[in-house]
Amino acid sequence: MSGFAAMLRRELRLSLRGGGDVLTLVLFFIIVGAIVPFAVGPDRTLLAAIAPGIVWIAAFLAMLLGLERLFRPDHEDGALVLLRQAELPLSAIVAAKLIVHWLVSAVPLLLATPVLAVLLAMDLDSFGRTMISLALGTPALAAFGAIGAAVTVSIRRGGLIAPILIAPLSIPVLIFGVGSITSPQSGAATLFLAALSLMAVALAPFAAALAISSAED
Amino acid sequence: MIDLGPHAVFIIWAYIGVMLGIAGLIAWTLFDARRTASELSRLEARDPRRQRPAGTTP
Amino acid sequence: MTPDTEPRLNWWNRMANPGQFVAWTTPLLWPLVILTAVLFVLGFWFAFFNSPEDYQMGDTVRIMYVHVPNAWLSQFVYAIMSVSALGTLVWRHPMADVSMKAAAPLGALFTALALFTGALWGRPTWGTFWEWDGRMTSTLVLLLIYLGLVALWRAFDDQLRAARVIAVFTLVGAINIPIIKFSVDWWSTLHQPASVFRPDGPRMPMSILVPLFVMFFAFTFLFLVLHLKAMHTEVKRRRVMTLKRRLAQGGPA
């Protein structure tokens, strides 16, 4: 078994072992979406109009919430130091972590999106587009989040500062994510979103690995 | 001074704001420089090695 | 017999000694201060006494003389930080760390001033202080990135370790800023197809370009002076931290 596959399995087992985490994220995602009607009123046409934005904001916040477990536990118990000694380059290890992070935090959100779609009075067409845009855009959110988590991993109160760093980087994801659902140029926005995800996923393992190895020197 | 026209308020406030911002920045830079320099000289006086590397006291 | 172990130093390596850097750049400080002051006096004189009002914008054109230099600096300072970040990561140059750290708060302030003057310019021109147009929005995002970097510097205890980590984030930001700019432009034209007022749209006459250029150089030199001074302070602060650590350990045995 190659080192990369072993790393994937290790990460997957570790994240599923504390099974409550996944459920918490999904609950958080639904709750953020569900409190918006209390703030803006239960007007169905208004809700349907802003639903794509709400779903994206909820997904963005939920992805932020899951970032703490990406590198911090391994940093605290010293596993990160050991992993840096591995034959596998650190960027590959980070890539494995990123893939698993996406699987255990973004995929459950995708599965929970129908609930929000019903609550927010989405029609079938925009629901389908929302699913596609979330599937295409969450890798970019996970990648930018991984960079933010890696930069702050050696700071004791890093969980507080990471969202401040990640949010500006995530603005294009939100713009093209929501744009691919609602805008008249949704085709172009979908392509931009996919390009952004590809670029972020390609860049993030190297940037995050560099940040981690610099922080631990 | 020339007449600034109907929007004089905005022009004057823009300049005042920029001047205040820059004055604050200059004051903070100088304050920080003084504070750090005085702390450095205080610590160097207490330093057991009394070793002053060249250049730190310009 | 001692072999010649002294490495041959070029100016680049000598600059890596913080003490040398301070000693070499201190004589530059006062001439730069005087140059900046002269440029500012000249710039203000042009701006208020020796430039006409624009036929389209009227007297609000005078806000441009402080707005455009700040908007330029907001991007120039980030460019300086990115080059310094490369210096930190590639060459591990100690002065690059110091330059990065000293530039971040300066960049944040110039960006904030660009937004402030932009808002005051927008009120008479667009009728609103804040318009979600491409320029203002991406400048706001840039300000958030600067503030994030300042917060990041403050969060680290060990400044030497912080420099390399922050250099990584600075470069990630540098790659992202064009993407953010592009996405925000795309987004704002989507929501308001009507063309908004653009400062660089109409061709500007010389009577406006001259004060603009003078102010542009005045602000740029102001940044250079403050950056240099802040770098000197940062060098001293590191020395203070080293001394404090040594004193806390009860001095060397």
Side-chain angles (χ1 to χ4, degrees):
Chain A
M1 190 166 62
S2 79
F4 190 73
M7 196 60 214
L8 280 179
R9 280 187 47 166
R10 169 189 184 266
E11 287 300 314
L12 208 54
R13 276 158 91 181
L14 278 178
S15 1
L16 292 179
R17 183 169 296 163
D21 283 359
V22 176
L23 193 65
T24 313
L25 274 189
V26 170
L27 274 178
F28 181 79
F29 175 66
I30 291 175
I31 285 172
V32 168
I35 61 170
V36 172
F38 297 108
V40 301
D43 177 10
R44 286 180 66 83
T45 49
L46 173 67
L47 282 179
I50 61 173
I54 298 170
V55 171
W56 262 101
I57 288 288
F60 169 67
L61 292 177
M63 295 287 283
L64 279 183
L65 203 66
L67 282 176
E68 272 291 270
R69 67 179 182 203
L70 195 52
F71 299 118
R72 192 164 296 273
D74 281 348
H75 175 73
E76 277 167 1
D77 66 12
L80 216 47
V81 179
L82 286 180
L83 288 173
R84 286 185 59 205
Q85 311 295 319
E87 230 171 277
L88 202 62
L90 187 59
S91 46
I93 290 171
V94 173
K97 279 175 161 294
L98 184 58
I99 291 169
V100 173
H101 174 65
W102 185 78
L103 283 177
V104 299
S105 58
V107 173
L109 298 189
L110 276 173
L111 297 179
T113 304
V115 180
L116 275 192
V118 171
L119 288 177
L120 298 173
M122 262 191 198
D123 57 39
L124 203 60
D125 180 42
S126 61
F127 167 67
R129 290 179 187 205
T130 305
M131 290 297 276
I132 292 170
S133 97
L134 277 180
L136 284 176
T138 42
L141 283 186
F144 288 133
I147 294 174
V151 165
T152 52
V153 71
S154 60
I155 305 172
R156 234 170 289 113
R157 305 282 294 160
L160 218 57
I161 197 170
I164 295 175
L165 301 174
I166 296 163
L169 301 183
S170 303
I171 285 172
V173 185
L174 289 183
I175 287 176
F176 291 131
V178 178
S180 74
I181 304 169
T182 57
S183 89
Q185 302 171 30
S186 62
T190 312
L191 288 179
F192 286 139
L193 189 64
L196 195 59
S197 269
L198 279 177
M199 191 214 73
V201 169
L203 176 82
F206 298 102
L210 193 57
I212 289 172
S213 53
S214 309
E216 304 231 328
D217 268 346
Chain B
M1 174 116 55
I2 49 166
D3 180 29
L4 286 177
H7 301 303
V9 180
F10 298 104
I11 300 167
I12 289 167
W13 272 107
Y15 277 83
I16 289 176
V18 168
M19 278 192 230
L20 281 182
I22 286 172
L25 189 63
I26 292 171
W28 179 78
T29 308
L30 288 179
F31 165 74
D32 199 32
R34 296 266 158 80
R35 188 183 57 178
T36 314
S38 70
E39 193 166 10
L40 183 61
S41 53
R42 188 175 60 81
L43 283 170
E44 274 180 343
R46 278 175 57 200
D47 186 22
R49 277 202 253 170
R50 302 280 300 178
Q51 176 189 37
R52 295 188 137 194
T56 48
T57 50
Chain C
M1 180 183 99
T2 50
D4 184 20
T5 50
E6 196 73 6
R8 286 183 53 216
L9 294 174
N10 53 19
W11 67 270
W12 173 256
N13 288 339
R14 271 194 232 126
M15 289 286 258
N17 179 335
Q20 283 278 354
F21 175 84
V22 173
W24 281 18
T25 52
T26 303
L28 290 176
L29 218 47
W30 273 109
L32 279 173
V33 168
I34 292 165
L35 182 61
T36 310
V38 168
L39 282 170
F40 264 112
V41 169
L42 201 62
F44 278 120
W45 177 71
F46 267 121
F48 279 112
F49 299 99
N50 198 19
S51 70
E53 56 191 69
D54 187 64
Y55 72 97
Q56 222 182 351
M57 298 180 261
D59 276 305
T60 46
V61 72
R62 290 176 216 288
I63 296 181
M64 186 171 76
Y65 304 140
V66 285
H67 172 71
V68 173
N70 276 309
W72 142 256
L73 276 182
S74 70
Q75 293 176 19
F76 177 66
V77 175
Y78 205 94
I80 296 271
M81 283 192 342
S82 306
V83 172
S84 304
L86 275 180
T88 296
L89 285 177
V90 179
W91 297 290
R92 300 203 171 212
H93 200 282
M95 293 322 291
D97 301 8
V98 172
S99 159
M100 248 192 335
K101 187 177 181 190
L106 299 178
L109 185 95
F110 287 124
T111 312
L113 286 179
L115 283 174
F116 172 73
T117 50
L120 281 176
W121 196 6
R123 186 72 180 80
T125 321
W126 297 334
T128 167
F129 281 112
W130 182 262
E131 185 67 60
W132 287 98
D133 93 311
R135 256 164 220 274
M136 291 190 87
T137 312
S138 48
T139 308
L140 178 69
V141 178
L142 187 60
L143 177 63
L144 294 179
I145 293 178
Y146 272 122
L147 294 178
L149 282 168
V150 173
L152 200 53
W153 273 110
R154 297 175 62 95
F156 273 97
D157 295 327
D158 180 352
Q159 299 287 295
L160 291 177
R161 187 182 289 179
R164 288 176 59 75
V165 176
I166 293 172
V168 174
F169 186 77
T170 307
L171 289 178
V172 169
I175 294 171
N176 263 285
I177 284 169
I179 299 174
I180 293 170
K181 180 101 183 69
F182 168 73
S183 69
V184 165
D185 279 344
W186 182 86
W187 168 80
S188 70
T189 51
L190 198 72
H191 289 273
Q192 40 163 101
S195 73
V196 287
F197 167 79
R198 298 211 154 229
D200 57 356
R203 289 184 52 189
M204 285 179 276
M206 277 310 275
S207 56
I208 288 176
L209 276 180
V210 168
L212 190 58
F213 256 76
V214 172
M215 282 302 232
F216 171 89
F217 281 112
F219 273 93
T220 306
F221 277 108
L222 176 73
F223 162 71
L224 292 177
V225 168
L226 289 174
H227 188 216
L228 204 54
K229 189 69 188 166
M231 280 174 80
H232 290 180
T233 307
E234 188 56 32
V235 168
K236 283 181 190 157
R237 197 187 339 267
R238 295 193 170 189
R239 181 88 189 117
V240 164
M241 277 156 137
T242 317
L243 281 176
K244 270 189 180 160
R245 206 172 305 136
R246 196 191 291 161
L247 285 170
Q249 287 163 352

